[in-house]
Amino acid sequence: MIDIALPKGRLGEKVYQILEEAGYPCPAIREENRKLVFEDVRSGVRYFWVKPSDVGIYVERAAADVGIAGKDILLEHQPQVYELADLGVGRCRMCVAGKKDFRDSRGRTLRVATKFPKIAKSYYSACSRDIDIIELHGSIELAPLLGLSDVIVDIVETGKTLLENGLEVKETVVPISARLIANRASYKFKYEEIVRLCRRVEEHCRRAGYLGEEEIR
Ligand code: PRP
């Protein structure tokens, strides 16, 4: 059995579909209920629905052998896991955004609101910019609108949230997509099963056109 942590929500549904089409179906997962664990003996898999930001913890601590997490979560929490593949789905970018008329002046500390303090700190420390981090847990776009911060560091997918709140992207910090990760001990002890799953999933993502040439190793 391979234990797989899936990120609950829209990305998780997409990822489950990829796994199903790659040869790891578990029809029970499509039933409308609130169960969190689904097993399919024939496919040799057990799936768990996990809060997206917790996938790394489940995999690092071996509660799951593999999992699918956004690169944003991996950069922010840096779990001790192997990153095996880029699935090319869940694409978005981590950006600095602010009000249209905001111009940064190096003379003062920049107030940055974010759910991703580590990513923001490392980005600004690479540019030697003094910042004051304001850590929030959602609706980050409100911060510059209410004068709580000068800018935000946040995920931009369609750009709709920024647009509808009169904000714009100032800089791109890093592109994001979903990654297949593995527990280090599981990778050793279930090597063949995990490598087979990884190859099948990558092959499926490549055929489905989720991966550009640059992501195919
Ligand atoms: C994320 C992100 C932005 C929004 C971007 O928020 O923090 O607010 O999605 O998407 P868009 O570019 O397609 O508009 P999420 O939906 O996770 O909600 P949150 O406010 O609770 O963080």
Side-chain angles (χ1 to χ4, degrees):
M1 274 280 164
I2 305 187
D3 288 327
I4 305 178
L6 291 172
K8 228 183 196 171
R10 222 166 5 118
L11 175 63
E13 279 159 29
K14 178 93 198 162
V15 165
Y16 169 69
Q17 195 192 329
I18 290 172
L19 284 155
E20 183 180 67
E21 289 168 5
Y24 299 90
C26 179
I29 210 168
R30 294 206 188 270
E31 287 163 17
E32 283 288 320
N33 60 40
R34 308 205 65 172
K35 276 172 69 176
L36 298 171
V37 183
F38 298 88
E39 188 173 307
D40 193 288
V41 177
R42 265 208 298 182
S43 301
V45 287
R46 183 158 51 200
Y47 290 109
F48 314 129
W49 287 124
V50 168
K51 189 175 157 116
S53 52
D54 291 342
V55 170
I57 299 171
Y58 280 81
V59 175
E60 179 182 275
R61 293 182 171 257
D65 298 310
V66 298
I68 291 87
K71 184 69 181 174
D72 51 332
I73 301 301
L74 301 179
L75 290 171
E76 184 61 28
H77 300 294
Q78 299 184 0
Q80 300 300 299
V81 296
Y82 292 134
E83 189 179 315
L84 301 182
D86 183 350
L87 306 194
V89 295
R91 283 180 191 268
C92 52
R93 39 187 189 135
M94 185 69 64
C95 291
V96 176
K99 284 186 14 188
K100 290 193 175 130
D101 58 3
F102 174 75
R103 297 282 171 274
D104 191 6
S105 116
R106 285 241 162 195
R108 59 187 187 83
T109 303
L110 185 71
R111 294 169 309 150
V112 182
T114 188
K115 272 190 287 193
F116 302 95
K118 266 203 193 141
I119 295 177
K121 274 182 205 159
S122 100
Y123 175 71
Y124 282 106
S125 112
C127 337
S128 308
R129 181 73 175 95
D130 274 343
I131 59 163
D132 176 16
I133 293 272
I134 300 158
E135 194 173 343
L136 298 175
H137 302 281
S139 301
I140 313 296
E141 292 81 1
L142 264 180
L145 296 181
L146 302 184
L148 178 63
S149 76
D150 300 311
V151 292
I152 61 175
V153 168
D154 199 17
I155 297 287
V156 177
E157 193 181 346
T158 61
K160 219 170 154 207
T161 312
L162 291 183
L163 189 72
E164 293 186 0
N165 288 290
L167 303 175
E168 66 179 16
V169 170
K170 303 288 184 190
E171 290 141 48
T172 294
V173 176
V174 64
I176 304 291
S177 56
R179 307 297 161 99
L180 176 66
I181 57 173
N183 172 268
R184 291 179 175 185
S186 301
Y187 189 72
K188 200 161 145 196
F189 295 113
K190 298 188 181 178
Y191 181 78
E192 277 177 27
E193 295 96 309
I194 292 177
V195 166
R196 189 183 312 125
L197 178 137
C198 179
R199 286 207 188 111
R200 286 182 179 177
V201 164
E202 266 191 315
E203 173 62 15
H204 181 77
C205 291
R206 192 180 53 74
R207 269 190 281 118
Y210 301 141
L211 294 170
E213 285 304 318
E214 74 279 10
E215 288 129 332
I216 301 166
R217 276 168 286 176

